[in-house]
Amino acid sequence: NAGVTQTPKFQVLKTGQSMTLQCAQDMNHNSMYWYRQDPGMGLRLIYYSASEGTTDKGEVPNGYNVSRLNKREFSLRLESAAPSQTSVYFCASTLLGTNEKLFFGSGTQLSVL
Amino acid sequence: DAKTTQPPSMDCAEGRAANLPCNHSTISGNEYVYWYRQIHSQGPQYIIHGLKNNETNEMASLIITEDRKSSTLILPHATLRDTAVYYCIVRVARQVYNQGGKLIFGQGTELSVKP
């Protein structure tokens, strides 16, 4: 089992460029999440998908869009990257129920110049 | 979901117990307490969770006060590899398929284990 896989691991963009961060999980989890983490700060929720076919905004959704492509995959898109979006992005997933452990990917380090 | 308050940093001597507090005074009766940790530049890792009884697993123990307004994560014999940021989260556990909700992390406690 690979768990939660994020691609790419590193990316450098110029201001205004677009890109999609990919996330896939092989644990048959219902819910998936995108977080960002900036230096010295905790994790902030961007968007989440409670189940296949649904997405909802988190704490900091501006400048991002998401797609829950199927049960396995949840992508995060930056349509017009800005330097303020320089961050480490983490994808996570969980199985709904009383034991909702979050499983995280290893992160994508994004720099916007 | 209830808000949590944690000290920003703590130190612990290697081999001693690390006791990390978390205040969640507005917790509701159906909200669980979860603990995660994040070792530098890695994705966060689940540690333990509980509702009202104390819990123990191979990584740690979780002590929840009787009024459930606070909890303590205990690492019984801290090692240098336990140096990390520890996050306390409270949230409702959803048992219905389409009622998964957002999980909000706070600032956490940066634990430094020193030789």
Side-chain angles (χ1 to χ4, degrees):
Chain A
N1 273 352
V4 179
T5 303
Q6 290 184 237
T7 55
K9 292 191 183 303
F10 301 94
Q11 184 72 47
V12 178
L13 292 177
K14 294 181 180 178
T15 297
Q17 286 185 315
S18 62
M19 79 158 296
T20 300
L21 280 64
Q22 306 286 353
C23 176
Q25 52 87 14
D26 61 2
M27 297 173 283
N28 202 34
H29 284 173
N30 314 98
S31 300
M32 298 185 72
Y33 305 80
W34 276 106
Y35 291 89
R36 63 176 286 175
Q37 186 170 39
D38 302 302
M41 298 186 69
L43 293 141
R44 291 186 292 170
L45 182 65
I46 305 171
Y47 270 94
Y48 68 103
S49 171
S51 60
E52 187 179 355
T54 68
T55 60
D56 286 286
K57 295 179 180 180
E59 303 171 90
V60 289
N62 292 343
Y64 305 94
N65 286 303
V66 290
S67 295
R68 183 74 183 266
L69 303 171
N70 46 56
K71 192 172 186 179
R72 290 187 64 249
E73 299 172 287
F74 188 40
S75 63
L76 178 72
R77 182 159 178 86
L78 288 70
E79 290 290 353
S80 179
S84 61
Q85 294 178 305
T86 293
S87 189
V88 180
Y89 291 83
F90 289 99
C91 177
S93 69
T94 187
L95 186 66
L96 289 176
T98 58
N99 187 21
E100 292 183 43
K101 300 178 187 179
L102 271 179
F103 291 81
F104 282 82
S106 57
T108 295
Q109 191 166 328
L110 176 66
S111 294
V112 183
L113 306 177
Chain B
D1 294 330
K3 184 177 178 179
T4 62
T5 304
Q6 299 176 253
S9 64
M10 293 181 63
D11 290 340
C12 178
E14 189 177 19
R16 304 296 293 269
N19 296 282
L20 292 95
C22 180
N23 182 288
H24 31 79
S25 58
T26 59
I27 193 170
S28 301
N30 60 351
E31 287 184 310
Y32 285 71
V33 180
Y34 287 80
W35 283 84
Y36 287 80
R37 74 179 182 183
Q38 186 177 24
I39 296 169
H40 180 64
S41 76
Q42 298 181 19
Q45 174 191 25
Y46 166 86
I47 301 173
I48 198 168
H49 77 287
L51 183 62
K52 52 185 174 183
N53 297 321
N54 297 337
E55 301 288 344
T56 296
N57 64 19
E58 66 279 4
M59 291 181 68
S61 294
L62 174 61
I63 309 297
I64 302 174
T65 57
E66 191 168 347
D67 63 7
R68 303 207 328 117
K69 293 182 184 299
S70 65
S71 61
T72 302
L73 178 74
I74 300 173
L75 308 178
H77 305 286
T79 71
L80 299 179
R81 288 178 296 179
D82 292 321
T83 292
V85 177
Y86 288 77
Y87 296 99
C88 170
I89 306 165
V90 294
R91 64 151 300 171
V92 176
R94 325 239 173 212
Q95 300 192 32
V96 180
Y97 181 81
N98 63 348
Q99 288 186 0
K102 54 188 177 183
L103 292 165
I104 304 298
F105 284 71
Q107 295 291 321
T109 296
E110 185 167 7
L111 176 69
S112 296
V113 181
K114 300 181 184 298

